[in-house]
Short mmCIF file of all heavy atoms in Angstrom, two decimals:
data_model
loop_
_atom_site.label_atom_id
_atom_site.label_comp_id
_atom_site.label_asym_id
_atom_site.label_seq_id
_atom_site.Cartn_x
_atom_site.Cartn_y
_atom_site.Cartn_z
N PHE A 1122 110.52 74.83 -47.48
CA PHE A 1122 111.37 76.00 -47.27
C PHE A 1122 112.45 75.77 -46.21
O PHE A 1122 113.34 76.62 -46.06
CB PHE A 1122 110.54 77.21 -46.92
CG PHE A 1122 109.62 77.68 -47.99
CD1 PHE A 1122 108.37 77.08 -48.19
CD2 PHE A 1122 109.94 78.72 -48.87
CE1 PHE A 1122 107.52 77.47 -49.20
CE2 PHE A 1122 109.10 79.15 -49.85
CZ PHE A 1122 107.88 78.51 -50.04
N GLY A 1123 112.31 74.72 -45.45
CA GLY A 1123 113.28 74.45 -44.39
C GLY A 1123 113.09 75.39 -43.21
O GLY A 1123 114.04 75.63 -42.45
N PHE A 1124 111.87 75.88 -42.98
CA PHE A 1124 111.62 76.78 -41.85
C PHE A 1124 110.99 76.02 -40.69
O PHE A 1124 110.20 75.10 -40.87
CB PHE A 1124 110.66 77.91 -42.25
CG PHE A 1124 111.22 78.89 -43.24
CD1 PHE A 1124 110.37 79.60 -44.07
CD2 PHE A 1124 112.58 79.13 -43.31
CE1 PHE A 1124 110.87 80.53 -44.99
CE2 PHE A 1124 113.11 80.05 -44.22
CZ PHE A 1124 112.25 80.76 -45.05
N GLU A 1125 111.31 76.47 -39.49
CA GLU A 1125 110.70 75.95 -38.29
C GLU A 1125 110.04 77.09 -37.53
O GLU A 1125 110.69 78.15 -37.36
CB GLU A 1125 111.75 75.27 -37.37
CG GLU A 1125 111.19 74.71 -36.08
CD GLU A 1125 112.27 74.09 -35.22
OE1 GLU A 1125 113.39 74.58 -35.24
OE2 GLU A 1125 111.97 73.08 -34.55
N PHE A 1126 108.79 76.92 -37.09
CA PHE A 1126 108.05 77.97 -36.40
C PHE A 1126 107.94 77.59 -34.93
O PHE A 1126 107.41 76.50 -34.60
CB PHE A 1126 106.67 78.13 -37.02
CG PHE A 1126 106.70 78.79 -38.37
CD1 PHE A 1126 107.14 78.11 -39.51
CD2 PHE A 1126 106.30 80.09 -38.52
CE1 PHE A 1126 107.17 78.71 -40.75
CE2 PHE A 1126 106.33 80.75 -39.76
CZ PHE A 1126 106.76 80.02 -40.88
N VAL A 1127 108.38 78.47 -34.05
CA VAL A 1127 108.37 78.18 -32.62
C VAL A 1127 107.59 79.31 -31.92
O VAL A 1127 107.94 80.49 -32.05
CB VAL A 1127 109.82 78.15 -32.04
CG1 VAL A 1127 109.80 77.85 -30.57
CG2 VAL A 1127 110.65 77.13 -32.80
N PRO A 1128 106.53 78.95 -31.20
CA PRO A 1128 105.72 80.00 -30.54
C PRO A 1128 106.53 80.75 -29.47
O PRO A 1128 107.32 80.15 -28.75
CB PRO A 1128 104.55 79.23 -29.92
CG PRO A 1128 105.06 77.83 -29.78
CD PRO A 1128 105.98 77.61 -30.93
N ILE A 1129 106.32 82.05 -29.40
CA ILE A 1129 106.96 82.88 -28.36
C ILE A 1129 105.91 83.13 -27.29
O ILE A 1129 104.91 83.83 -27.54
CB ILE A 1129 107.46 84.20 -28.96
CG1 ILE A 1129 108.51 83.90 -30.03
CG2 ILE A 1129 108.04 85.10 -27.88
CD1 ILE A 1129 108.96 85.14 -30.82
N THR A 1130 106.11 82.59 -26.14
CA THR A 1130 105.09 82.65 -25.08
C THR A 1130 105.55 83.40 -23.82
O THR A 1130 104.82 83.48 -22.85
CB THR A 1130 104.71 81.22 -24.67
OG1 THR A 1130 105.87 80.50 -24.23
CG2 THR A 1130 104.07 80.46 -25.86
N ASP A 1131 106.78 83.90 -23.85
CA ASP A 1131 107.30 84.54 -22.64
C ASP A 1131 107.06 86.03 -22.57
O ASP A 1131 107.53 86.72 -21.68
CB ASP A 1131 108.80 84.27 -22.50
CG ASP A 1131 109.62 84.83 -23.68
OD1 ASP A 1131 109.02 85.48 -24.58
OD2 ASP A 1131 110.85 84.62 -23.68
N GLY A 1132 106.33 86.57 -23.55
CA GLY A 1132 106.01 88.00 -23.55
C GLY A 1132 107.15 88.90 -24.01
O GLY A 1132 107.06 90.11 -23.88
N SER A 1133 108.23 88.30 -24.54
CA SER A 1133 109.39 89.11 -24.92
C SER A 1133 109.14 89.91 -26.20
O SER A 1133 109.86 90.87 -26.48
CB SER A 1133 110.61 88.20 -25.14
OG SER A 1133 110.36 87.24 -26.16
N VAL A 1134 108.09 89.53 -26.98
CA VAL A 1134 107.76 90.25 -28.20
C VAL A 1134 106.38 90.91 -28.01
O VAL A 1134 105.37 90.20 -27.89
CB VAL A 1134 107.73 89.33 -29.42
CG1 VAL A 1134 107.29 90.09 -30.66
CG2 VAL A 1134 109.12 88.71 -29.66
N PRO A 1135 106.31 92.21 -27.92
CA PRO A 1135 105.04 92.90 -27.68
C PRO A 1135 104.08 92.68 -28.83
O PRO A 1135 104.49 92.57 -29.98
CB PRO A 1135 105.43 94.36 -27.53
CG PRO A 1135 106.90 94.37 -27.28
CD PRO A 1135 107.45 93.19 -27.98
N VAL A 1136 102.77 92.69 -28.51
CA VAL A 1136 101.73 92.62 -29.54
C VAL A 1136 100.79 93.80 -29.35
O VAL A 1136 100.74 94.42 -28.29
CB VAL A 1136 100.98 91.29 -29.48
CG1 VAL A 1136 101.89 90.12 -29.81
CG2 VAL A 1136 100.32 91.07 -28.11
N PHE A 1137 100.05 94.10 -30.41
CA PHE A 1137 99.15 95.27 -30.38
C PHE A 1137 97.73 94.93 -30.01
O PHE A 1137 96.88 95.82 -29.85
CB PHE A 1137 99.17 95.99 -31.74
CG PHE A 1137 98.91 95.07 -32.92
CD1 PHE A 1137 97.64 94.74 -33.31
CD2 PHE A 1137 99.97 94.55 -33.64
CE1 PHE A 1137 97.41 93.93 -34.39
CE2 PHE A 1137 99.75 93.70 -34.70
CZ PHE A 1137 98.46 93.40 -35.10
N HIS A 1138 97.44 93.60 -29.84
CA HIS A 1138 96.10 93.17 -29.43
C HIS A 1138 96.23 91.78 -28.84
O HIS A 1138 97.06 90.98 -29.29
CB HIS A 1138 95.13 93.14 -30.64
CG HIS A 1138 93.71 92.95 -30.26
ND1 HIS A 1138 93.15 91.72 -30.03
CD2 HIS A 1138 92.69 93.87 -30.07
CE1 HIS A 1138 91.87 91.84 -29.71
NE2 HIS A 1138 91.57 93.14 -29.73
N PRO A 1139 95.41 91.45 -27.85
CA PRO A 1139 95.52 90.12 -27.23
C PRO A 1139 95.32 88.95 -28.20
O PRO A 1139 95.78 87.84 -27.91
CB PRO A 1139 94.42 90.14 -26.14
CG PRO A 1139 94.19 91.59 -25.86
CD PRO A 1139 94.45 92.32 -27.14
N ASP A 1140 94.63 89.18 -29.28
CA ASP A 1140 94.40 88.11 -30.25
C ASP A 1140 95.64 87.73 -31.04
O ASP A 1140 95.70 86.68 -31.70
CB ASP A 1140 93.31 88.49 -31.24
CG ASP A 1140 91.92 88.52 -30.63
OD1 ASP A 1140 91.75 87.93 -29.55
OD2 ASP A 1140 91.01 89.16 -31.23
N VAL A 1141 96.67 88.58 -31.03
CA VAL A 1141 97.84 88.38 -31.87
C VAL A 1141 98.81 87.39 -31.23
O VAL A 1141 99.10 87.49 -30.03
CB VAL A 1141 98.57 89.73 -32.14
CG1 VAL A 1141 99.81 89.51 -32.99
CG2 VAL A 1141 97.63 90.71 -32.81
N THR A 1142 99.27 86.45 -31.99
CA THR A 1142 100.33 85.52 -31.55
C THR A 1142 101.57 85.70 -32.42
O THR A 1142 101.48 86.17 -33.56
CB THR A 1142 99.87 84.06 -31.63
OG1 THR A 1142 99.37 83.81 -32.96
CG2 THR A 1142 98.77 83.78 -30.62
N VAL A 1143 102.75 85.37 -31.86
CA VAL A 1143 104.01 85.59 -32.54
C VAL A 1143 104.85 84.33 -32.47
O VAL A 1143 104.86 83.60 -31.46
CB VAL A 1143 104.81 86.77 -31.92
CG1 VAL A 1143 106.00 87.13 -32.81
CG2 VAL A 1143 103.91 87.97 -31.69
N TYR A 1144 105.58 84.05 -33.56
CA TYR A 1144 106.40 82.83 -33.67
C TYR A 1144 107.80 83.19 -34.17
O TYR A 1144 107.95 84.06 -35.06
CB TYR A 1144 105.79 81.83 -34.66
CG TYR A 1144 104.43 81.34 -34.24
CD1 TYR A 1144 103.28 82.12 -34.38
CD2 TYR A 1144 104.29 80.10 -33.63
CE1 TYR A 1144 102.04 81.67 -33.98
CE2 TYR A 1144 103.06 79.62 -33.24
CZ TYR A 1144 101.94 80.42 -33.40
OH TYR A 1144 100.70 79.95 -32.99
N GLU A 1145 108.80 82.55 -33.60
CA GLU A 1145 110.12 82.56 -34.19
C GLU A 1145 110.08 81.77 -35.47
O GLU A 1145 109.45 80.72 -35.56
CB GLU A 1145 111.15 81.89 -33.27
CG GLU A 1145 111.66 82.66 -32.11
CD GLU A 1145 112.78 81.92 -31.40
OE1 GLU A 1145 113.33 80.95 -32.01
OE2 GLU A 1145 113.09 82.26 -30.28
N VAL A 1146 110.82 82.24 -36.49
CA VAL A 1146 111.00 81.47 -37.74
C VAL A 1146 112.49 81.23 -37.87
O VAL A 1146 113.29 82.18 -38.00
CB VAL A 1146 110.47 82.23 -38.96
CG1 VAL A 1146 110.57 81.34 -40.19
CG2 VAL A 1146 109.03 82.71 -38.72
N ASN A 1147 112.89 79.97 -37.79
CA ASN A 1147 114.30 79.59 -37.82
C ASN A 1147 114.57 78.67 -38.99
O ASN A 1147 113.70 77.95 -39.47
CB ASN A 1147 114.70 78.87 -36.52
CG ASN A 1147 114.50 79.77 -35.30
OD1 ASN A 1147 114.77 80.97 -35.36
ND2 ASN A 1147 114.02 79.19 -34.22
N ASP A 1148 115.82 78.70 -39.46
CA ASP A 1148 116.27 77.78 -40.48
C ASP A 1148 116.52 76.40 -39.80
O ASP A 1148 117.34 76.32 -38.89
CB ASP A 1148 117.56 78.29 -41.12
CG ASP A 1148 118.03 77.43 -42.27
OD1 ASP A 1148 118.30 76.23 -42.04
OD2 ASP A 1148 118.17 77.95 -43.39
N LYS A 1149 115.80 75.38 -40.22
CA LYS A 1149 115.89 74.08 -39.58
C LYS A 1149 117.30 73.49 -39.65
O LYS A 1149 117.76 72.81 -38.73
CB LYS A 1149 114.89 73.11 -40.21
CG LYS A 1149 113.44 73.40 -39.88
CD LYS A 1149 112.49 72.59 -40.70
CE LYS A 1149 112.61 71.11 -40.41
NZ LYS A 1149 111.64 70.30 -41.18
N ALA A 1150 117.99 73.75 -40.76
CA ALA A 1150 119.30 73.14 -40.96
C ALA A 1150 120.38 73.79 -40.10
O ALA A 1150 121.28 73.11 -39.59
CB ALA A 1150 119.69 73.21 -42.45
N THR A 1151 120.31 75.12 -39.94
CA THR A 1151 121.39 75.83 -39.25
C THR A 1151 120.99 76.41 -37.92
O THR A 1151 121.84 76.78 -37.11
CB THR A 1151 121.89 76.98 -40.15
OG1 THR A 1151 120.82 77.96 -40.26
CG2 THR A 1151 122.30 76.48 -41.52
N GLY A 1152 119.68 76.52 -37.66
CA GLY A 1152 119.22 77.14 -36.44
C GLY A 1152 119.20 78.67 -36.50
O GLY A 1152 118.80 79.33 -35.55
N ARG A 1153 119.63 79.22 -37.62
CA ARG A 1153 119.68 80.69 -37.77
C ARG A 1153 118.28 81.26 -37.75
O ARG A 1153 117.34 80.73 -38.32
CB ARG A 1153 120.37 81.04 -39.11
CG ARG A 1153 120.39 82.54 -39.44
CD ARG A 1153 121.04 82.76 -40.78
NE ARG A 1153 120.27 82.19 -41.86
CZ ARG A 1153 119.28 82.82 -42.52
NH1 ARG A 1153 118.94 84.07 -42.15
NH2 ARG A 1153 118.63 82.22 -43.50
N ASN A 1154 118.12 82.40 -37.03
CA ASN A 1154 116.82 83.04 -37.01
C ASN A 1154 116.58 83.79 -38.32
O ASN A 1154 117.35 84.65 -38.72
CB ASN A 1154 116.71 84.03 -35.83
CG ASN A 1154 115.38 84.74 -35.80
OD1 ASN A 1154 115.28 85.93 -36.07
ND2 ASN A 1154 114.33 84.00 -35.52
N VAL A 1155 115.49 83.42 -38.99
CA VAL A 1155 115.11 84.08 -40.22
C VAL A 1155 114.25 85.30 -39.93
O VAL A 1155 114.31 86.28 -40.66
CB VAL A 1155 114.35 83.07 -41.12
CG1 VAL A 1155 113.82 83.77 -42.39
CG2 VAL A 1155 115.22 81.88 -41.47
N GLY A 1156 113.46 85.22 -38.88
CA GLY A 1156 112.61 86.35 -38.53
C GLY A 1156 111.50 85.92 -37.58
O GLY A 1156 111.59 84.92 -36.87
N LEU A 1157 110.43 86.72 -37.57
CA LEU A 1157 109.26 86.43 -36.76
C LEU A 1157 108.02 86.45 -37.65
O LEU A 1157 108.01 87.07 -38.72
CB LEU A 1157 109.10 87.50 -35.67
CG LEU A 1157 110.22 87.69 -34.64
CD1 LEU A 1157 109.83 88.81 -33.66
CD2 LEU A 1157 110.54 86.42 -33.92
N TRP A 1158 106.99 85.73 -37.18
CA TRP A 1158 105.69 85.74 -37.88
C TRP A 1158 104.62 86.11 -36.90
O TRP A 1158 104.44 85.46 -35.86
CB TRP A 1158 105.40 84.35 -38.46
CG TRP A 1158 104.14 84.26 -39.24
CD1 TRP A 1158 103.85 84.85 -40.42
CD2 TRP A 1158 102.97 83.49 -38.86
NE1 TRP A 1158 102.56 84.52 -40.82
CE2 TRP A 1158 102.00 83.66 -39.90
CE3 TRP A 1158 102.65 82.66 -37.80
CZ2 TRP A 1158 100.76 83.06 -39.88
CZ3 TRP A 1158 101.38 82.05 -37.77
CH2 TRP A 1158 100.47 82.26 -38.80
N TYR A 1159 103.92 87.22 -37.16
CA TYR A 1159 102.81 87.70 -36.35
C TYR A 1159 101.49 87.27 -37.00
O TYR A 1159 101.34 87.37 -38.23
CB TYR A 1159 102.80 89.23 -36.28
CG TYR A 1159 103.96 89.88 -35.56
CD1 TYR A 1159 105.21 89.90 -36.11
CD2 TYR A 1159 103.78 90.52 -34.33
CE1 TYR A 1159 106.31 90.53 -35.46
CE2 TYR A 1159 104.83 91.18 -33.67
CZ TYR A 1159 106.09 91.17 -34.26
OH TYR A 1159 107.15 91.79 -33.63
N PHE A 1160 100.52 86.83 -36.22
CA PHE A 1160 99.25 86.36 -36.76
C PHE A 1160 98.11 87.03 -36.00
O PHE A 1160 97.97 86.88 -34.79
CB PHE A 1160 99.15 84.84 -36.63
CG PHE A 1160 97.96 84.23 -37.29
CD1 PHE A 1160 97.46 84.73 -38.50
CD2 PHE A 1160 97.31 83.14 -36.71
CE1 PHE A 1160 96.35 84.16 -39.13
CE2 PHE A 1160 96.19 82.55 -37.32
CZ PHE A 1160 95.72 83.08 -38.53
N ASP A 1161 97.29 87.79 -36.72
CA ASP A 1161 96.12 88.50 -36.16
C ASP A 1161 94.89 87.98 -36.88
O ASP A 1161 94.50 88.49 -37.94
CB ASP A 1161 96.30 90.02 -36.40
CG ASP A 1161 95.19 90.85 -35.78
OD1 ASP A 1161 94.41 90.27 -34.98
OD2 ASP A 1161 95.07 92.04 -36.09
N PRO A 1162 94.20 86.98 -36.33
CA PRO A 1162 93.19 86.24 -37.12
C PRO A 1162 91.76 86.74 -37.11
O PRO A 1162 91.03 86.42 -38.04
CB PRO A 1162 93.25 84.85 -36.49
CG PRO A 1162 93.65 85.09 -35.05
CD PRO A 1162 94.52 86.31 -35.06
N PHE A 1163 91.34 87.53 -36.10
CA PHE A 1163 89.92 87.71 -35.91
C PHE A 1163 89.41 89.12 -36.28
O PHE A 1163 90.14 90.11 -36.17
CB PHE A 1163 89.53 87.44 -34.46
CG PHE A 1163 89.82 86.04 -34.02
CD1 PHE A 1163 90.63 85.80 -32.93
CD2 PHE A 1163 89.29 84.95 -34.71
CE1 PHE A 1163 90.91 84.49 -32.53
CE2 PHE A 1163 89.56 83.65 -34.32
CZ PHE A 1163 90.39 83.42 -33.22
N ALA A 1164 88.17 89.18 -36.73
CA ALA A 1164 87.51 90.44 -37.04
C ALA A 1164 87.21 91.22 -35.74
O ALA A 1164 87.01 90.62 -34.70
CB ALA A 1164 86.23 90.20 -37.80
N ARG A 1165 87.23 92.55 -35.86
CA ARG A 1165 86.87 93.39 -34.72
C ARG A 1165 86.64 94.81 -35.24
O ARG A 1165 87.06 95.17 -36.36
CB ARG A 1165 87.98 93.41 -33.65
CG ARG A 1165 89.30 93.91 -34.13
CD ARG A 1165 90.36 93.98 -33.02
NE ARG A 1165 91.67 94.31 -33.59
CZ ARG A 1165 92.55 93.42 -33.99
NH1 ARG A 1165 92.31 92.12 -33.89
NH2 ARG A 1165 93.71 93.81 -34.50
#
């Protein structure tokens, strides 16, 4: 797909639970931001 995923670690994107991580999704060819990907992996 030509996507690059870059973790966001500076706290600039709020999350709703400590288990959630967020990544920038960019177009590898142009550097354009396509969006963000949130991941909430664990049962609770």
